[in-house]
């Protein structure tokens, strides 16, 4: 290590399994990195839903970055040949631009080009080093390594289940039918804004118009925002994910404004997108939905990135924004083939509403949902199953202290248990209608269940009125009405799912059962009952 530099904690990287270095990165190429700075004061510990939310302005003033820190960081790296292209005290970010050679010298790293079956990338191995002058000020540096840290939810293989977008088979579900199934409160989302995070694909108005015609709803207002220059109209195979997210919300909240925040599929992109959505004072989403993620303990995330994303999710909780995240579609393994159980991040964050998946056994029937599992539960084998389990990273929060579920992994920590709720995700037995690329198809996954739950939150926000958003809903589900130790609101406001399991790894999985479980959470939402059970204000 050179004199004058120190290791940045949480920045260690290893090469992706199966990656092959093909040579040094082009020293003359210009790249940008995002720095996260320390807060003026640390965030308070949340042991439940805040008694009162704060405004974004107050959040920035009390817990943002100091202007002096921003100026200092910019000056230090200017002397090292890097240019500040953007800074924001509210999000605690400084964005620097410079050549690969200058970045390597500033952070004492070596950047290589890697070939990998999942996508080539620019990467590094080992820790990042910081100039001593900004030690303790800079908490993370993101963008030197641009490996994929989100797993696209692949489209289901269902031969013969794609057709011209002119009819909807009777076995498929349009969102309004699911709203009826889950007893959503009435409404059309008037006055609400739903944010959606996207890491690929694009928004295509013609597809949405066709979907709305088939679903029998008006076409909502949609804003597609690139938070980092990423395309908002890419035909890259991920457009089905984007259109599924938007169409599920449109089918339930056609009068809401839907804002899709696009970013690159990297750690830097995640940080940029979640910052943009949570701190968006212009559009002011009351709920944010994300159907993307990756196993929290894979060789993908750095500890620093997970910390920063988690901190921003706590920002959302403090300002009263509900964040719904998919629990994953590959059961207890989360598609990591090491024989152990894993859970998806950011779904494992204690500050989100993690959404699992179910199957509706009979359309218009009265039977309760069952936990979703098709085939062997793995999408790689044309199956699928709900994610769920125990975090290996985040300790069990106070509000889950009564939950006694243990990880199936030996020697595991007493971690955050997920999901919190579940909803229809089956793309064979009870599929959603999706229109993408001019074609109608059956689709599903927790990628569909998550915007469905976000739509419920939007309807509840509308019913509660201005200044009374649902906000940080998750801990409320584990507490009695009014914060007491009585019957948990999850029991009062959800229909228990007692059948099914999600085992997809050798070590074991989790089973649905009476009360809370690590497959379906509290069960499927009963929208009207949940709304009635929520604490006021």
């Amino acid at each position: 290590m050179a004199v004058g530099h120190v290791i940045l904690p949480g920045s260690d990287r290893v090469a992706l399994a199966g990656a092959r270095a093909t040579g040094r990165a082009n020293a003359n190429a210009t790249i940008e990195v995002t720095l996260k700075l320390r807060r003026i004061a640390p965030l308070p510990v949340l042991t439940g839903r805040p008694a009162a939310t704060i405004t974004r302005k107050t959040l920035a003033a009390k817990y943002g970055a100091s202007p002096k820190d921003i100026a200092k960081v910019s000056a230090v790296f200017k002397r090292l040949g890097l240019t500040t292209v953007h800074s924001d005290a509210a999000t605690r970010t400084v964005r620097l631009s410079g050549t690969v050679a200058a970045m390597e010298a500033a952070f004492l790293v070596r950047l290589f080009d890697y070939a990998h079956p999942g996508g080539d990338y620019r990467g590094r191995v080992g820790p990042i080093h910081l100039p001593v002058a900004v030690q303790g000020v800079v908490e993370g540096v993101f963008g030197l390594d641009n490996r994929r840290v989100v797993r696209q939810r692949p489209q289901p293989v269902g031969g013969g289940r794609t057709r011209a977008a002119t009819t909807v088979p009777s076995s498929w579900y349009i969102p309004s039918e699911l709203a009826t199934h889950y007893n959503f409160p009435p409404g059309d989302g008037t006055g609400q804004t739903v944010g959606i995070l996207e890491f690929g694909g694009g928004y295509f108005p013609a597809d949405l118009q066709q979907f709305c015609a088939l679903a029998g709803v008006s076409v909502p207002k949609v804003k597609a925002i690139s938070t980092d220059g990423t395309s908002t109209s890419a035909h890259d195979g991920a457009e089905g994910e984007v259109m599924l997210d938007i169409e599920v919300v449109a089918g339930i909240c056609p009068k809401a404004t839907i804002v899709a925040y696009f970013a690159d599929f990297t750690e830097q992109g995640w940080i940029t997108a979640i910052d943009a959505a949570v701190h968006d004072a212009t559009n002011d989403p009351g709920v944010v939905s994300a159907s993307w993620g990756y196993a929290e303990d894979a060789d993908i995330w750095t500890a620093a990135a997970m910390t920063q994303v988690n901190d921003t999710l706590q920002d959302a909780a403090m300002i009263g924004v509900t964040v719904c995240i998919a629990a994953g579609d590959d059961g207890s393994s989360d598609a990591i083939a090491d024989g152990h159980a894993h859970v998806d991040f950011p779904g494992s964050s204690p500050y989100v509403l993690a959404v699992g998946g179910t199957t509706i056994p009979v359309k218009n029937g009265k039977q309760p949902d069952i936990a979703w599992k098709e085939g062997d539960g793995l999408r790689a084998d044309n199956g699928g199953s709900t994610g769920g389990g125990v975090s290996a990273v985040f300790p069990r929060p106070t509000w889950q202290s009564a939950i006694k579920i243990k990880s199936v992994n030996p020697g595991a920590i007493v971690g955050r248990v997920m999901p919190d709720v579940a909803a229809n995700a089956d793309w064979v037995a009870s599929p959603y209608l999706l229109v993408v690329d001019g074609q109608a198809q059956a689709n599903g996954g927790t990628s569909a269940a998550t915007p469905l739950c976000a739509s419920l939150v939007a309807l509840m926000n509308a019913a509660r009125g201005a200044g009374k958003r649902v906000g940080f809903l998750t801990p409320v589900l584990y507490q009695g009405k009014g914060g007491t130790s009585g019957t948990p609101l999850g029991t009062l406001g959800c229909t228990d799912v007692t059948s099914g399991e999600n085992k997809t790894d050798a070590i074991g999985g989790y089973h649905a059962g009476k009360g809370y479980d690590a497959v379906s959470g509290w069960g499927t939402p009963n929208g009207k009952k949940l709304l009635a059970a929520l604490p006021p204000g």
Side-chain angles (χ1 to χ4, degrees):
M1 185 189 310
V3 176
H5 278 72
V6 294
I7 289 176
L8 174 62
S11 64
D12 278 340
R13 273 289 196 196
V14 297
L16 280 177
R20 177 176 56 87
T22 59
R24 293 290 296 273
N26 183 346
N28 297 315
T30 298
I31 62 175
E32 293 186 357
V33 297
T34 299
L35 276 56
K36 274 284 188 175
L37 310 190
R38 66 186 176 187
R39 296 179 184 271
I40 294 170
L43 291 172
V45 175
L46 289 184
T47 57
R49 185 171 180 260
T53 58
I54 61 175
T55 65
R56 288 183 175 88
K57 185 176 181 180
T58 299
L59 178 71
K62 294 183 67 173
Y63 305 111
S66 160
K68 290 183 179 179
D69 279 350
I70 292 175
K72 181 177 184 179
V73 167
S74 295
V76 167
F77 286 103
K78 182 178 181 180
R79 291 195 292 270
L80 294 172
L82 303 182
T83 302
T84 297
V85 294
H86 180 74
S87 64
D88 189 307
T91 62
R92 302 180 294 114
T93 55
V94 172
R95 198 168 182 98
L96 301 175
S97 176
T99 65
V100 164
M103 293 287 181
E104 290 181 326
F107 297 108
L108 298 190
V109 296
R110 287 190 174 186
L111 301 180
F112 288 84
D113 292 327
Y114 287 88
H116 187 268
D120 298 347
Y121 68 97
R122 180 185 66 246
R124 61 180 179 82
V125 173
I128 290 170
H129 299 82
L130 292 176
V132 171
V134 294
Q135 181 181 12
V137 178
V138 176
E139 296 183 342
V141 178
F142 310 102
L144 294 169
D145 186 305
N146 65 356
R147 70 187 69 187
R148 178 182 289 275
V149 296
V150 294
R151 181 183 288 116
Q152 179 189 338
R153 314 296 187 197
Q155 299 306 307
V157 177
R161 296 172 69 79
T162 298
R163 59 183 62 207
T166 54
T167 59
V168 183
S170 60
S171 61
W172 297 10
Y173 283 83
I174 60 174
S176 60
E177 292 174 314
L178 293 166
T180 298
H181 178 75
Y182 296 123
N183 198 29
F184 282 13
D188 56 14
T190 297
Q192 301 303 305
T193 298
V194 178
I196 302 175
L197 304 187
E198 302 293 357
F199 298 94
Y203 162 59
F204 300 100
D207 286 336
L208 180 59
Q209 290 167 6
Q210 291 183 63
F211 169 84
C212 290
L214 291 172
V217 297
S218 58
V219 180
K221 180 179 182 180
V222 177
K223 296 181 181 180
I225 297 175
S226 177
T227 64
D228 61 1
T230 296
S231 173
T232 64
S233 58
H235 285 281
D236 59 6
E239 61 267 26
E241 175 65 70
V242 176
M243 295 311 301
L244 180 64
D245 290 336
I246 292 173
E247 288 170 5
V248 170
V249 177
I252 295 173
C253 299
K255 296 298 184 182
T257 297
I258 301 171
V259 183
Y261 302 89
F262 287 80
D264 197 17
F265 49 62
T266 61
E267 282 189 337
Q268 184 180 27
W270 252 107
I271 286 167
T272 301
I274 194 68
D275 278 348
V278 171
H279 293 276
D280 186 353
T282 300
N283 294 296
D284 189 26
V287 59
V288 174
S289 176
S291 299
W292 308 70
Y294 217 110
E296 61 177 12
D297 50 351
D299 53 357
I300 295 294
W301 300 100
T302 60
M306 293 180 70
T307 295
Q308 294 303 325
V309 171
N310 193 55
D311 278 0
T312 302
L313 293 169
Q314 183 176 348
D315 285 348
M318 293 182 64
I319 63 175
V321 175
T322 311
V323 182
C324 303
I325 306 282
D329 295 343
D330 287 286
S332 59
S333 72
D334 203 31
I336 304 299
D338 62 1
H340 286 76
H342 301 270
V343 294
D344 223 47
F345 180 76
S348 61
S349 166
Y351 301 113
V352 308
L353 184 75
V355 181
T358 64
T359 296
I360 301 174
V362 179
K363 191 167 186 178
N364 300 320
K366 297 187 180 298
Q367 304 96 317
D369 288 18
I370 61 176
W372 169 51
K373 186 176 185 182
E374 299 172 34
D376 66 359
L378 295 173
R379 290 171 297 167
D381 299 331
N382 297 333
S385 52
T386 181
V390 180
S391 175
V393 174
F394 297 99
R396 192 155 302 180
T398 302
W399 37 265
Q400 277 193 330
S401 59
I403 304 299
K404 304 306 180 185
I405 296 170
K406 296 181 179 179
S407 172
V408 296
N409 293 325
I413 67 169
V414 180
R416 187 305 204 221
V417 192
M418 63 177 287
D420 302 299
V421 295
N424 181 48
D426 199 310
W427 51 45
V428 175
S430 49
Y432 290 69
L433 164 69
L434 166 67
V435 177
V436 61
D437 298 330
Q439 297 291 308
Q441 65 173 250
N443 212 288
T446 57
S447 294
T450 302
L452 183 75
C453 288
S455 299
L456 171 58
V457 173
L459 294 180
M460 293 195 295
N461 283 342
R464 286 164 66 86
K468 297 181 180 181
R469 286 176 172 172
V470 171
F472 188 23
L473 172 61
T474 306
V476 177
L477 297 174
Y478 296 80
Q479 301 163 356
K481 200 166 185 177
T484 68
S485 58
T487 303
L489 264 69
T491 298
L492 297 175
C494 296
T495 301
D496 204 3
V497 173
T498 60
S499 176
E501 48 82 23
N502 75 340
K503 179 182 176 181
T504 56
D505 57 62
I507 202 73
Y510 301 88
H511 292 264
K514 186 177 181 180
Y516 179 85
D517 59 65
V519 174
S520 67
W522 290 105
T524 57
N526 184 316
K528 291 178 182 177
K529 288 186 176 181
L530 182 58
L531 176 61
L534 290 175

